[in-house]
Amino acid sequence: MTDAYDFSDRIERVAPSATLAISNLAAEKEAEGADIVDLSVGEPDFDTPDNIVEAGKEALDAGHTGYTSSNGIPPLKEAIAEKLRGTGVDADADEVIVTPGGKQALYETFQTLIDEGDEVVLLDPAWVSYEAMTKLAGGDLSRVDLAPHGFQLEPALDELTETVSDDTELLVVNSPSNPTGAVFSEAALEGVRDLAVDHDISVISDEIYERIVYDAEHVSLASLDGMSDRTITVNGFSKAYSMTGWRLGYIHAKGDFVGEAGKLHSHSVSCAVNFVQHAGVEALSNTDESVEEMRQAFAKRRDLLVDLFDEHGVDVDVGDGAFYMMIPVDDSEVQGTSDASGDEPRADDQAWCEAAIEEASVACVPGSAFNAPGYARISYAASAERLREAVDRLVANDLL
Ligand code: PMP
Ligand code: GLU
């Protein structure tokens, strides 16, 4: 039967999210009774802190169930602006749009800034949705590879300098980084600032992992001299407060940005969920202790994983933030590394990840999803016991 739909070029340019695809596959296998150690999706394994849950329930009981003003409820926009001022960003409540998740905040930003053929620069390995969002907006990608530099930006500044030009419209910075966990140094961010100012480039600073840092300090890009009115700061509640399913995030930017992006926001989602926004106020004002407990738990798990990989001779570039680690993988032990048709050799990391889930029942995301072939991304948002189990299974199946 011929498909009656004539799909847009825009939608045909992109593939489904690879991170979500692997976790869906893991969930399907579990539903069939398999015991999968799922280290694929980037989702904290903690419950949302009680005070936030209570605030959400109270907001429901108080009848906060209708639409809110499109850009968000005033107390939440004010709390976000105050939080940003705390990290040195010049912010007012009316410069904020509250979104259903950081992903929507990013989507609106790409749609607001990128025209057909505009150049968007990514720092690889880059989170999977930046590429898709660029393509959905019609932009063209240029990429700078941080992998040869231990995933750090500072040693790659020369390459970034060669890549950007007056034709560059947008640069995306994500520190702490998904998928590497790298936290970029202040000097690196100053390098970005110099280039952005020289070439009049807008910069997205995706700071969704800012509260999950270990032996480094997080710097908000918009706090640097010269960056205030060219940075779009994107953040969300999913990771810091373990609120992935609540869907809450935000954009902050100066000038006309909020007015322009607000058009798309109002025509697409109308507003973020009302009672969730009330819970967000509580998260920002009263949750430091729980955030710290989760941060310390992630730090211990990271150290455990590094030790376990070290025992098995796997050398990793250890990040100082988020809850991800990229491990180098190859398919030398994996049989049959071409696809069923036999003519398309798969990237080695894809074959490795397939063997990891099929043979070892461990789910990881192929580095190719982040434009980093030869690696697999491990999300260590899992208990110490499950992390040990994962490494044991990979070793038992000759995958490490
Ligand atoms: N940015 C990065 C780098 C992420 O890893 C995620 C994770 N999903 C997001 C944005 C969006 O998260 P959410 O929509 O759950 O706020
Ligand atoms: N950001 C998380 C990840 O990379 C959640 C899944 C997604 O939104 O892509 O795994």
Side-chain angles (χ1 to χ4, degrees):
M1 198 176 76
T2 355
D3 210 325
Y5 307 107
D6 184 11
F7 297 112
S8 67
D9 291 346
R10 219 172 29 257
I11 210 69
E12 288 189 329
R13 282 199 286 262
V14 298
S17 162
T19 46
L20 297 180
I22 309 264
S23 72
N24 289 347
L25 177 64
E28 270 168 36
K29 286 185 177 289
E30 292 207 308
E32 287 161 9
D35 170 31
I36 306 286
V37 184
D38 186 0
L39 307 182
S40 65
V41 76
E43 177 164 43
D45 57 327
F46 302 104
D47 292 334
T48 303
D50 288 345
N51 61 313
I52 301 175
V53 174
E54 281 312 312
K57 287 184 188 164
E58 277 166 27
L60 276 173
D61 288 340
H64 294 302
T65 54
Y67 293 128
T68 69
S69 68
S70 183
N71 288 357
I73 58 171
L76 181 56
K77 289 194 300 177
E78 187 44 60
I80 289 166
E82 194 182 321
K83 179 245 154 256
L84 287 163
R85 290 194 291 270
T87 57
V89 179
D90 173 21
D92 282 325
D94 62 5
E95 296 161 351
V96 171
I97 302 179
V98 178
T99 55
K103 212 177 245 186
Q104 176 71 16
L106 288 161
Y107 180 74
E108 290 178 12
T109 302
F110 279 88
Q111 289 292 324
T112 300
L113 292 178
I114 298 307
D115 277 320
E116 204 67 35
D118 279 351
E119 184 189 55
V120 176
V121 174
L122 300 184
L123 305 171
D124 283 333
W127 178 50
V128 58
S129 294
Y130 302 141
E131 174 175 331
M133 289 182 193
T134 302
K135 290 180 175 169
L136 286 169
D140 290 337
L141 286 161
S142 295
R143 326 189 64 132
V144 175
D145 190 8
L146 307 188
H149 305 289
F151 304 129
Q152 278 300 331
L153 174 56
E154 205 177 328
L157 280 176
D158 285 347
E159 280 152 80
L160 183 61
T161 305
E162 280 161 27
T163 304
V164 298
S165 71
D166 290 350
D167 292 333
T168 306
E169 189 67 30
L170 182 67
L171 169 65
V172 183
V173 176
N174 171 220
S175 173
S177 152
N178 177 3
T180 68
V183 177
F184 299 151
S185 66
E186 187 157 4
L189 297 178
E190 284 169 355
V192 166
R193 183 265 318 276
D194 294 345
L195 291 168
V197 170
D198 276 1
H199 297 291
D200 193 19
I201 300 168
S202 299
V203 184
I204 291 179
S205 184
D206 179 348
E207 304 186 358
I208 199 159
Y209 297 99
E210 91 178 300
R211 301 291 301 268
I212 308 169
V213 285
Y214 312 120
D215 312 312
E217 209 175 312
H218 170 78
V219 175
S220 276
L221 195 61
S223 71
L224 301 186
D225 278 351
M227 287 310 285
S228 172
D229 59 359
R230 63 177 63 255
T231 305
I232 303 93
T233 304
V234 169
N235 209 325
F237 293 68
S238 288
K239 317 291 172 166
Y241 306 105
S242 201
M243 289 177 72
T244 47
W246 296 69
R247 311 307 302 129
L248 193 63
Y250 59 88
I251 300 170
H252 169 264
K254 305 296 280 186
D256 294 336
F257 190 91
V258 158
E260 294 300 301
K263 295 184 209 165
L264 174 60
H265 189 71
S266 69
H267 286 302
S268 54
V269 295
S270 298
C271 61
V273 176
N274 190 337
F275 61 88
V276 169
Q277 294 188 55
H278 287 271
V281 176
E282 174 68 15
L284 284 175
S285 9
N286 250 331
T287 318
D288 285 352
E289 222 172 282
S290 312
V291 169
E292 178 57 14
E293 276 169 25
M294 291 190 265
R295 190 192 70 82
Q296 286 182 14
F298 287 132
K300 279 198 193 129
R301 294 160 178 194
R302 177 195 65 162
D303 295 346
L304 169 70
L305 256 192
V306 173
D307 287 348
L308 291 173
F309 285 134
D310 192 46
E311 270 171 37
H312 297 287
V314 183
D315 199 14
V316 284
D317 288 302
V318 186
D320 268 322
F323 35 68
Y324 304 110
M325 202 176 280
M326 292 286 263
I327 61 166
V329 295
D330 67 57
D331 62 355
S332 48
E333 292 95 354
V334 181
Q335 298 302 307
T337 49
S338 60
D339 72 5
S341 68
D343 49 26
E344 263 289 302
R346 289 172 304 199
D348 48 7
D349 53 294
Q350 283 169 358
W352 189 92
C353 286
E354 210 171 293
I357 193 162
E358 296 298 341
E359 291 160 26
S361 297
V362 176
C364 315
V365 183
S368 301
F370 312 98
N371 213 32
Y375 292 90
R377 186 192 76 174
I378 306 267
S379 162
Y380 52 87
S383 68
E385 190 195 346
R386 294 301 271 173
L387 293 173
R388 277 204 190 87
E389 174 72 24
V391 173
D392 286 349
R393 289 183 189 186
L394 293 172
V395 170
N397 285 277
D398 284 334
L399 287 161
L400 288 183

